[in-house]
């Protein structure tokens, strides 16, 4: 019984990774035509300040109330700023990490309560949905649904 659950988990994880890879390909389509949202400039600057001067990020984007949010987005932006020189790619490393983590979480929760087949279907439905792909393409807190 234990071996069957382990086999289901390994197969399911393989499905999640395949779906995630296909989703990432879809997310990255047309990346050259996208520009970073102007609200993310403070986050990009904070990540660059950390890399260049070692200054810890203290704020992130400005809310609709005119206050700054905590620097969580800056930490997710940091690997993209470190790896790429093109600002259009800065968000993708962190957002894809969250996208894959979300797919894995959906799989684990759905598998626990509904079984491995339903979990794979749930991952496919969310992973290729407009909402899933939209959220996977940005770290910005207002998700652009086209």
């Amino acid at each position: 019984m234990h071996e069957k659950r382990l086999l289901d988990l390994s197969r399911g994880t393989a499905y999640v990774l395949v779906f995630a890879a296909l989703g990432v390909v879809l997310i990255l389509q047309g990346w050259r035509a996208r520009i970073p949202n102007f609200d993310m400039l403070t986050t990009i600057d904070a990540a660059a300040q950390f890399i260049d001067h070692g200054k810890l990020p203290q704020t992130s984007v400005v809310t609709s109330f005119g206050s700054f949010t905590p620097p969580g987005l800056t930490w997710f932006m940091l690997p993209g700023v470190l790896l790429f020189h093109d600002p259009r790619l800065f968000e993708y490393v962190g957002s894809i990490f969250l996208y894959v983590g979300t797919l894995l979480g959906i799989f684990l929760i759905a598998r626990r309560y509904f079984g491995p087949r339903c979990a794979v279907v749930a991952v496919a439905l969310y992973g290729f949905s407009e909402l899933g792909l939209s959220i996977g393409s940005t770290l910005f807190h207002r998700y652009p649904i086209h």
Side-chain angles (χ1 to χ4, degrees):
M1 184 68 175
H2 181 66
E3 290 129 6
K4 182 173 177 1
R5 288 188 64 168
L6 193 59
L7 184 62
D8 285 344
L9 181 63
S10 63
R11 277 189 195 149
T13 304
Y15 280 120
V16 168
L17 293 177
V18 168
F19 290 153
L22 292 173
V24 167
V25 168
L26 292 174
I27 286 169
L28 291 175
Q29 292 295 312
W31 69 268
R32 289 184 177 154
R34 297 183 196 142
I35 58 172
N37 192 314
F38 71 92
D39 288 336
M40 296 297 283
L41 293 178
T42 55
T43 305
I44 293 170
D45 182 55
Q49 290 293 325
F50 179 74
I51 292 169
D52 294 340
H53 305 292
K55 182 181 174 193
L56 288 175
Q58 296 179 1
T59 61
S60 189
V61 297
V62 178
T63 68
S64 59
F65 296 114
S67 62
F68 286 99
T69 61
L73 291 180
T74 305
W75 292 109
F76 279 105
M77 183 79 73
L78 194 64
V81 173
L82 189 62
L83 293 173
F84 301 110
H85 297 290
D86 191 340
R88 295 174 292 186
L89 293 171
F90 289 167
E91 284 184 87
Y92 284 109
V93 177
S95 65
I96 288 171
F97 175 76
L98 288 174
Y99 174 75
V100 173
T102 301
L103 293 181
L104 187 60
I106 289 170
F107 173 76
L108 292 173
I109 290 171
R111 180 179 147 266
R112 167 132 178 137
Y113 293 105
F114 303 109
R117 287 184 185 152
C118 183
V120 169
V121 171
V123 167
L125 287 175
Y126 179 79
F128 298 126
S129 71
E130 184 177 6
L131 179 64
L133 293 173
S134 178
I135 289 173
S137 67
T138 184
L139 289 172
F140 193 57
H141 60 281
R142 290 184 211 118
Y143 304 109
I145 297 193
H146 309 289

